[in-house]
Amino acid sequence: MELTSSFGLTFFYDYATPSKVVLWLASIFSGIILCVLVYTSTAILSSLLFKGYGKLSSAEKIEWNNRGFSTFHALFVSSASFYLLILSDVFNVNSHGDVVINRSSTLSDAVLGISIGYFLTDLAMILWNFPALGGLEYVLHHGLSIGSITLCLLSGQVHIYILMVLFSESTTPFVNLRWYLDIAGLKSSKLYIWNGIALFFGWLGLLWNYFSW
Protein backbone atom coordinates (compact mmCIF):
# COMPACT_ATOMS: atom_id res chain seq x y z
CA MET A 1 0.00 0.00 0.00
CA GLU A 2 1.39 3.39 -0.88
CA LEU A 3 0.64 7.06 -0.53
CA THR A 4 1.84 9.68 -3.02
CA SER A 5 2.33 13.21 -1.71
CA SER A 6 1.63 16.43 -3.60
CA PHE A 7 5.40 16.96 -3.93
CA GLY A 8 5.80 13.87 -6.07
CA LEU A 9 7.40 11.73 -3.37
CA THR A 10 6.11 8.25 -2.68
CA PHE A 11 5.92 6.88 0.86
CA PHE A 12 5.45 3.15 1.42
CA TYR A 13 3.68 1.97 4.55
CA ASP A 14 5.53 -1.34 4.40
CA TYR A 15 8.98 0.21 3.86
CA ALA A 16 9.82 -0.05 7.56
CA THR A 17 10.50 -3.80 7.63
CA PRO A 18 11.42 -5.44 10.97
CA SER A 19 15.07 -5.70 9.94
CA LYS A 20 15.18 -2.01 9.05
CA VAL A 21 13.52 -1.01 12.32
CA VAL A 22 16.11 -3.05 14.25
CA LEU A 23 18.92 -1.35 12.31
CA TRP A 24 17.46 2.10 12.90
CA LEU A 25 16.96 1.56 16.64
CA ALA A 26 20.41 -0.01 17.03
CA SER A 27 21.98 2.93 15.19
CA ILE A 28 20.12 5.52 17.28
CA PHE A 29 21.10 3.87 20.56
CA SER A 30 24.67 3.49 19.28
CA GLY A 31 24.74 7.21 18.58
CA ILE A 32 23.55 7.98 22.10
CA ILE A 33 26.05 5.60 23.69
CA LEU A 34 28.91 7.00 21.60
CA CYS A 35 28.02 10.53 22.69
CA VAL A 36 28.06 9.52 26.36
CA LEU A 37 31.38 7.70 25.96
CA VAL A 38 33.03 10.60 24.12
CA TYR A 39 31.63 13.11 26.64
CA THR A 40 33.13 11.11 29.51
CA SER A 41 36.41 10.52 27.67
CA THR A 42 36.72 14.22 26.86
CA ALA A 43 36.39 15.08 30.56
CA ILE A 44 38.97 12.49 31.62
CA LEU A 45 41.53 13.27 28.91
CA SER A 46 41.13 17.03 29.31
CA SER A 47 41.74 16.84 33.05
CA LEU A 48 44.91 14.82 32.41
CA LEU A 49 46.31 16.69 29.39
CA PHE A 50 45.11 20.27 29.82
CA LYS A 51 46.03 22.05 33.06
CA GLY A 52 43.52 24.82 32.50
CA TYR A 53 40.59 22.39 32.43
CA GLY A 54 40.47 22.26 36.24
CA LYS A 55 40.16 26.05 36.40
CA LEU A 56 37.05 26.12 34.22
CA SER A 57 33.68 26.76 35.78
CA SER A 58 31.12 23.96 35.97
CA ALA A 59 29.18 25.43 33.04
CA GLU A 60 32.35 25.78 30.96
CA LYS A 61 33.33 22.16 31.66
CA ILE A 62 29.91 20.96 30.52
CA GLU A 63 30.18 22.89 27.27
CA TRP A 64 33.81 21.78 26.83
CA ASN A 65 32.80 18.13 27.09
CA ASN A 66 29.68 18.70 25.00
CA ARG A 67 31.78 20.10 22.18
CA GLY A 68 33.89 16.95 22.43
CA PHE A 69 31.12 14.67 21.20
CA SER A 70 29.93 17.40 18.85
CA THR A 71 33.35 17.25 17.17
CA PHE A 72 33.27 13.44 17.12
CA HIS A 73 29.84 13.41 15.48
CA ALA A 74 30.92 15.99 12.92
CA LEU A 75 34.02 14.04 11.92
CA PHE A 76 32.06 10.80 11.68
CA VAL A 77 29.06 12.01 9.66
CA SER A 78 31.08 14.23 7.33
CA SER A 79 33.49 11.37 6.56
CA ALA A 80 30.64 8.89 6.05
CA SER A 81 28.72 11.38 3.90
CA PHE A 82 31.79 12.04 1.76
CA TYR A 83 32.22 8.31 1.20
CA LEU A 84 28.56 7.73 0.34
CA LEU A 85 28.22 10.79 -1.89
CA ILE A 86 31.58 10.78 -3.67
CA LEU A 87 33.44 7.49 -3.33
CA SER A 88 30.67 4.90 -3.38
CA ASP A 89 28.27 4.24 -6.25
CA VAL A 90 25.11 4.45 -4.12
CA PHE A 91 24.15 7.86 -5.50
CA ASN A 92 25.99 7.66 -8.79
CA VAL A 93 23.48 8.57 -11.50
CA ASN A 94 24.96 5.98 -13.85
CA SER A 95 25.11 3.05 -11.43
CA HIS A 96 21.42 2.28 -10.82
CA GLY A 97 18.18 2.41 -12.72
CA ASP A 98 16.06 4.21 -10.12
CA VAL A 99 16.14 7.95 -9.47
CA VAL A 100 18.72 9.29 -7.03
CA ILE A 101 16.25 10.59 -4.41
CA ASN A 102 14.83 7.06 -3.98
CA ARG A 103 18.18 5.45 -3.19
CA SER A 104 19.41 4.34 0.20
CA SER A 105 21.74 1.76 1.67
CA THR A 106 22.37 -0.04 4.93
CA LEU A 107 25.28 2.30 5.61
CA SER A 108 23.26 5.45 4.92
CA ASP A 109 20.50 4.14 7.21
CA ALA A 110 23.08 3.51 9.97
CA VAL A 111 24.70 6.94 9.54
CA LEU A 112 21.35 8.72 9.73
CA GLY A 113 20.35 6.67 12.78
CA ILE A 114 23.59 7.52 14.60
CA SER A 115 23.04 11.17 13.74
CA ILE A 116 19.56 11.04 15.28
CA GLY A 117 21.16 9.60 18.41
CA TYR A 118 23.57 12.54 18.51
CA PHE A 119 20.84 15.15 18.07
CA LEU A 120 18.69 13.50 20.75
CA THR A 121 21.61 13.47 23.20
CA ASP A 122 22.61 17.05 22.44
CA LEU A 123 19.00 18.23 22.65
CA ALA A 124 18.62 16.55 26.05
CA MET A 125 21.74 18.36 27.29
CA ILE A 126 20.53 21.68 25.88
CA LEU A 127 17.16 21.35 27.61
CA TRP A 128 18.73 20.13 30.88
CA ASN A 129 21.18 23.06 30.98
CA PHE A 130 18.92 25.58 29.25
CA PRO A 131 19.91 28.18 28.17
CA ALA A 132 23.63 27.67 28.93
CA LEU A 133 24.30 25.50 25.85
CA GLY A 134 21.96 27.34 23.50
CA GLY A 135 18.60 29.09 23.33
CA LEU A 136 15.36 28.33 21.55
CA GLU A 137 17.05 28.49 18.14
CA TYR A 138 19.14 25.43 19.09
CA VAL A 139 16.05 23.58 20.29
CA LEU A 140 14.29 24.40 17.00
CA HIS A 141 17.33 23.40 14.94
CA HIS A 142 17.70 20.04 16.69
CA GLY A 143 13.97 19.37 16.60
CA LEU A 144 13.82 20.01 12.86
CA SER A 145 16.95 17.91 12.31
CA ILE A 146 15.51 14.95 14.22
CA GLY A 147 12.18 15.25 12.40
CA SER A 148 13.67 15.52 8.91
CA ILE A 149 16.11 12.64 9.39
CA THR A 150 13.36 10.46 10.89
CA LEU A 151 11.06 11.10 7.90
CA CYS A 152 13.99 10.36 5.60
CA LEU A 153 14.56 6.99 7.28
CA LEU A 154 10.88 6.02 7.36
CA SER A 155 10.36 6.83 3.69
CA GLY A 156 13.72 5.57 2.41
CA GLN A 157 13.93 8.67 0.24
CA VAL A 158 16.03 11.85 -0.15
CA HIS A 159 18.99 10.29 1.69
CA ILE A 160 21.26 12.16 -0.71
CA TYR A 161 19.99 15.57 0.44
CA ILE A 162 20.25 14.76 4.15
CA LEU A 163 23.79 13.47 3.62
CA MET A 164 24.68 16.68 1.80
CA VAL A 165 23.52 18.63 4.85
CA LEU A 166 25.42 16.32 7.21
CA PHE A 167 28.54 16.79 5.09
CA SER A 168 28.45 20.47 6.07
CA GLU A 169 29.26 19.29 9.61
CA SER A 170 32.87 19.13 8.37
CA THR A 171 33.27 22.75 9.49
CA THR A 172 32.07 22.04 13.05
CA PRO A 173 35.50 20.87 14.37
CA PHE A 174 36.96 24.24 13.32
CA VAL A 175 34.12 26.08 15.09
CA ASN A 176 34.68 24.02 18.23
CA LEU A 177 38.46 24.49 18.10
CA ARG A 178 37.87 28.24 17.86
CA TRP A 179 35.82 28.05 21.08
CA TYR A 180 38.40 25.84 22.81
CA LEU A 181 41.25 28.24 22.00
CA ASP A 182 39.18 31.21 23.13
CA ILE A 183 38.24 29.65 26.47
CA ALA A 184 41.85 28.53 26.97
CA GLY A 185 43.10 32.11 26.55
CA LEU A 186 44.82 31.43 23.22
CA LYS A 187 42.80 33.82 21.11
CA SER A 188 45.95 35.65 20.01
CA SER A 189 47.83 32.49 19.03
CA LYS A 190 48.78 31.58 15.45
CA LEU A 191 46.68 28.43 15.72
CA TYR A 192 43.60 30.55 16.37
CA ILE A 193 44.32 32.66 13.28
CA TRP A 194 45.04 29.68 11.02
CA ASN A 195 41.96 27.89 12.30
CA GLY A 196 39.85 30.93 11.40
CA ILE A 197 41.32 30.96 7.89
CA ALA A 198 40.65 27.23 7.50
CA LEU A 199 37.07 27.73 8.70
CA PHE A 200 36.51 30.51 6.15
CA PHE A 201 37.80 28.45 3.24
CA GLY A 202 35.89 25.44 4.54
CA TRP A 203 32.63 27.36 4.27
CA LEU A 204 33.58 28.54 0.78
CA GLY A 205 34.33 24.95 -0.21
CA LEU A 206 30.95 23.79 1.04
CA LEU A 207 29.16 26.50 -0.94
CA TRP A 208 31.07 25.51 -4.07
CA ASN A 209 30.23 21.83 -3.55
CA TYR A 210 26.53 22.52 -3.05
CA PHE A 211 26.30 24.55 -6.25
CA SER A 212 28.32 21.96 -8.19
CA TRP A 213 26.07 19.12 -6.98
Side-chain angles (χ1 to χ4, degrees):
M1 183 177 184
E2 66 181 44
L3 173 67
T4 303
S5 73
S6 58
F7 296 99
L9 298 178
T10 303
F11 298 89
F12 294 85
Y13 288 122
D14 58 348
Y15 179 78
T17 61
S19 60
K20 286 186 178 294
V21 172
V22 170
L23 173 63
W24 297 339
L25 292 177
S27 300
I28 293 171
F29 283 115
S30 295
I32 295 173
I33 293 171
L34 284 172
C35 287
V36 174
L37 290 176
V38 175
Y39 181 93
T40 305
S41 300
T42 301
I44 295 174
L45 292 175
S46 297
S47 62
L48 294 175
L49 302 176
F50 178 59
K51 295 181 180 179
Y53 181 79
K55 299 178 182 179
L56 299 177
S57 65
S58 178
E60 288 173 335
K61 286 181 180 178
I62 291 174
E63 184 166 0
W64 182 287
N65 302 334
N66 176 271
R67 287 178 182 269
F69 72 74
S70 169
T71 300
F72 175 84
H73 167 261
L75 291 172
F76 171 77
V77 296
S78 60
S79 299
S81 297
F82 179 81
Y83 170 78
L84 286 165
L85 294 170
I86 306 298
L87 302 181
S88 75
D89 65 346
V90 175
F91 301 104
N92 188 319
V93 294
N94 299 317
S95 62
H96 300 282
D98 54 342
V99 294
V100 173
I101 62 170
N102 290 334
R103 297 181 193 173
S104 63
S105 69
T106 301
L107 179 58
S108 66
D109 278 353
V111 171
L112 297 184
I114 290 173
S115 196
I116 290 177
Y118 159 75
F119 282 116
L120 286 172
T121 306
D122 201 36
L123 179 60
M125 286 199 65
I126 290 173
L127 293 175
W128 183 262
N129 297 280
F130 192 84
L133 294 178
L136 292 175
E137 68 277 7
Y138 281 81
V139 176
L140 178 62
H141 171 270
H142 282 40
L144 290 174
S145 297
I146 293 170
S148 60
I149 298 175
T150 300
L151 288 175
C152 179
L153 281 178
L154 293 176
S155 67
Q157 297 179 327
V158 298
H159 279 216
I160 184 173
Y161 296 125
I162 297 296
L163 290 171
M164 287 172 64
V165 174
L166 290 178
F167 180 70
S168 67
E169 289 287 316
S170 57
T171 60
T172 297
F174 298 102
V175 175
N176 287 341
L177 180 58
R178 184 180 179 89
W179 183 89
Y180 282 131
L181 293 172
D182 186 11
I183 205 72
L186 299 173
K187 198 171 182 178
S188 59
S189 66
K190 290 184 178 180
L191 180 58
Y192 186 90
I193 296 173
W194 283 111
N195 179 69
I197 294 173
L199 178 59
F200 173 75
F201 282 104
W203 281 332
L204 286 181
L206 287 176
L207 288 174
W208 181 83
N209 281 326
Y210 286 148
F211 283 116
S212 64
W213 276 335

